[in-house]
Amino acid sequence: MREYLKFYIDGQWVDPVELKTLDVINPATEGVCGKIALGSAKDVDKAVAAAKKAFKTWSQTTREERLDVLNRILAEYQKRFGDLAVAVTEEMGAPASLAQRAQVPIGMGHLSTAINVLKDFKFEEQRGPTLLVKEPIGVCGFITPWNWPLNQIVCKVAPAIATGCTMVLKPSEVAPFSGHIFAEIMHAAGVPAGVFNLVHGDGPTVGAALSSHPDIDMVSFTGSTRAGIEVARNAAPTVKRVAQELGGKSPNIVLDDDAFAKGVARGVATMMTNSGQSCNAPTRMLVPKTRMDEAITVAREAASQVTVGDPNGNSQLGPVVSEVQFNKIQKLIQAGIDEGATLVIGGTGRPEGLDKGYYVKPTVFANVTNDMTIAAEEIFGPVLSILGYDSVDQAIDIGNDTEYGLAAYVQSADLDKARKIASKLRAGQVSINGGGGDMMAPFGGYKMSGNGREWGDYGFHEFLETKAVLGYAPQAAE
């Protein structure tokens, strides 16, 4: 039973101004597995003040000093690898294999990437008589979600540290353990006091206090589009920079060629990863109408191979994160049935033999149309919709016919054809034939999937202001 009843502020573990606690639920057992303190606006004020004070000195550090700190953080992170993996499985139900293979390593990946980018990053550029300088934006507020908790913490913290910013982090109160351990890592690494601060809490209280705080210069939020709109609204009066990575309803266009069956199977496997709880999941598979029956056969077989169960065992899918999410997913599956989509496999209720835990059946719908609820709304569970198309141009139109634009996918034996389709899809990332894993590839979305980009060198720019120093070099006399 974990108890995390302190916050990390100004290099110390401190008591909240007023103790209010929240039980953390293990989604595999539905039992309480820990308790955290919930912060208030007063706790945020203390953390922001510490970050503001630390910014004066941290913003003036050298490249070498920041590299040294990042390398120490990476070393401490590696020491706590096992603790982090156990925490992620316990707090949000990721299978142990996924936690060890992806959930925890991706945090190391962001740290290593930030180190490599920082080594050669150009903070200054002279253009004639003018010097252009990239300077840290200031104090940053980070509000991160529960689905890939370490990924979304470290892809903000690492570039912020590298660029000379200071920060206050509010990890998800639904899955707060890994964020708390990350704060312990920062302390063990000797990050200077006030540079990194952590306050646990909920969105309406701590999240709102961060996004509206006059001494926060930038807020970076990852989560639902609905919550992102609230963050932007709260931030507007202080005209701070807002970076958002929000929802998605990503199309996956499978072309009519020799790679069809492989593409369908790959799409099912990718969709089910992390129990479908990824904002860039390929939730809408588009196949030629003439091959819909074949797609149904392949998808049913692929989904039937996905094992669901105890995340500490050998299952590929654990539970979804909470009762709230479970109930939402059940309603959306029922909506698919009610609106006339073909239920290929899965459906409502828990998988057979699982009477406790927020487990969802791997579910596939076919003959879905883009006006159905399951094709329009982000489900955030292991639910795939297969839509038919008559022509490639129509597939592209259907793919783009969404309020989101985070990711898109193309499957084809013809690489040139896939590239042409990728160029027409309105999304921040397009994956061809399963391509992925590039830590330098910018991540972020079009339309209501957000603004700004994270990862790699693009992630650095989010934390920098541009200053032009005029007359820096005297002009040659005429």
Side-chain angles (χ1 to χ4, degrees):
M1 182 84 163
R2 300 171 190 260
E3 282 200 350
Y4 293 148
L5 303 182
K6 293 181 182 289
F7 305 142
Y8 188 68
I9 297 175
D10 204 18
Q12 299 178 48
W13 292 101
V14 301
D15 292 323
V17 172
E18 181 181 345
L19 182 60
K20 180 182 178 183
T21 64
L22 174 74
D23 288 339
V24 180
I25 305 300
N26 182 328
T29 66
E30 302 182 40
V32 175
C33 60
K35 184 179 293 187
I36 60 167
L38 289 176
S40 64
K42 291 180 180 179
D43 296 299
V44 171
D45 286 342
K46 289 173 61 178
V48 172
K52 185 177 180 180
K53 178 184 176 183
F55 181 72
K56 293 179 181 179
T57 51
W58 182 249
S59 63
Q60 301 303 309
T61 52
T62 65
R63 184 192 309 266
E64 289 70 26
E65 288 173 309
R66 296 175 197 169
L67 282 169
D68 181 54
V69 168
L70 284 168
N71 276 299
R72 296 203 308 265
I73 295 169
L74 177 58
E76 293 297 330
Y77 190 104
Q78 291 168 328
K79 291 179 186 176
R80 300 296 298 275
F81 187 102
D83 295 337
L84 289 167
V86 170
V88 168
T89 296
E90 187 176 13
E91 68 189 357
M92 55 80 60
S97 59
L98 183 68
Q100 294 162 6
R101 188 181 73 249
Q103 289 272 6
V104 178
I106 200 167
M108 291 164 51
H110 287 302
L111 286 164
S112 297
T113 300
I115 289 166
N116 290 330
V117 171
L118 180 56
K119 288 176 182 176
D120 300 310
F121 192 84
K122 292 184 179 179
F123 289 96
E124 296 184 357
E125 176 192 353
Q126 190 170 335
R127 291 186 183 176
T130 300
L131 181 70
L132 301 181
V133 184
K134 296 284 189 180
E135 296 184 339
I137 194 168
V139 179
C140 303
F142 297 152
I143 304 170
T144 59
W146 46 260
N147 59 321
W148 288 88
L150 289 163
N151 169 58
Q152 289 143 327
I153 289 172
V154 187
C155 78
K156 301 179 192 303
V157 170
I161 292 282
T163 53
C165 294
T166 58
M167 65 216 71
V168 180
L169 167 68
K170 186 204 88 66
S172 169
E173 71 277 19
V174 177
F177 298 158
S178 54
H180 197 93
I181 294 171
F182 184 79
E184 294 175 352
I185 289 167
M186 299 293 274
H187 183 72
V191 176
V195 171
F196 172 88
N197 305 272
L198 174 141
V199 177
H200 288 297
D202 60 23
T205 307
V206 174
L210 278 174
S211 54
S212 62
H213 203 290
D215 288 333
I216 291 278
D217 300 290
M218 177 232 193
V219 59
S220 180
F221 171 81
T222 301
S224 71
T225 296
R226 176 196 53 77
I229 291 169
E230 285 302 307
V231 167
R233 185 179 284 122
N234 292 333
T238 52
V239 199
K240 57 172 55 70
R241 184 179 298 174
V242 178
Q244 299 175 315
E245 193 267 282
L246 307 175
K249 197 68 185 176
S250 304
N252 181 13
I253 298 176
V254 185
L255 296 192
D256 187 2
D257 57 32
D258 292 343
F260 181 80
K262 184 177 181 181
V264 170
R266 179 191 288 128
V268 172
T270 306
M271 177 62 239
M272 299 302 168
T273 300
N274 206 41
S275 296
Q277 299 172 123
S278 298
C279 44
N280 61 341
T283 54
R284 291 183 298 144
M285 180 183 292
L286 288 95
V287 304
K289 287 181 180 177
T290 56
R291 301 187 74 167
M292 179 64 75
D293 289 345
E294 183 182 350
I296 289 172
T297 300
V298 174
R300 180 186 291 115
E301 175 61 22
S304 70
Q305 300 299 314
V306 178
T307 56
V308 185
D310 182 358
N312 288 301
N314 296 319
S315 59
Q316 295 166 280
L317 263 62
V320 296
V321 74
S322 67
E323 183 179 16
V324 169
Q325 287 298 119
F326 178 85
N327 290 336
K328 175 192 171 187
I329 294 164
Q330 296 302 311
K331 287 180 181 178
L332 286 165
I333 292 173
Q334 188 60 52
I337 295 169
D338 293 344
E339 292 177 20
T342 301
L343 181 61
V344 174
I345 192 171
T348 56
R350 291 181 176 86
E352 188 176 346
L354 295 170
D355 300 322
K356 184 173 285 188
Y358 306 123
Y359 295 98
V360 176
K361 296 175 184 176
T363 298
V364 177
F365 284 102
N367 297 305
V368 176
T369 56
N370 219 34
D371 58 350
M372 291 182 179
T373 303
I374 56 173
E377 291 192 22
E378 186 176 38
I379 299 173
F380 232 59
V383 182
L384 172 66
S385 297
I386 305 179
L387 300 83
Y389 65 82
D390 293 312
S391 68
V392 172
D393 285 343
Q394 186 190 38
I396 294 167
D397 287 344
I398 294 171
N400 288 333
D401 183 16
T402 171
E403 64 185 14
Y404 298 112
L406 184 60
Y409 300 76
V410 185
Q411 318 291 333
S412 177
D414 187 332
L415 185 56
D416 287 338
K417 191 176 288 186
R419 288 169 174 166
K420 288 176 183 175
I421 293 171
S423 72
K424 297 177 181 178
L425 291 169
R426 300 272 298 160
Q429 273 194 358
V430 183
S431 172
I432 296 174
N433 294 332
D438 184 355
M439 299 297 296
M440 287 294 290
F443 187 74
Y446 290 20
K447 300 186 280 186
M448 292 191 77
S449 286
N451 52 66
R453 293 295 181 269
E454 297 182 313
W455 298 41
D457 55 332
Y458 276 82
F460 275 46
H461 291 289
E462 293 298 317
F463 298 100
L464 295 168
E465 290 280 23
T466 301
K467 176 188 286 182
V469 184
L470 307 178
Y472 180 80
Q475 292 180 298
E478 295 184 1

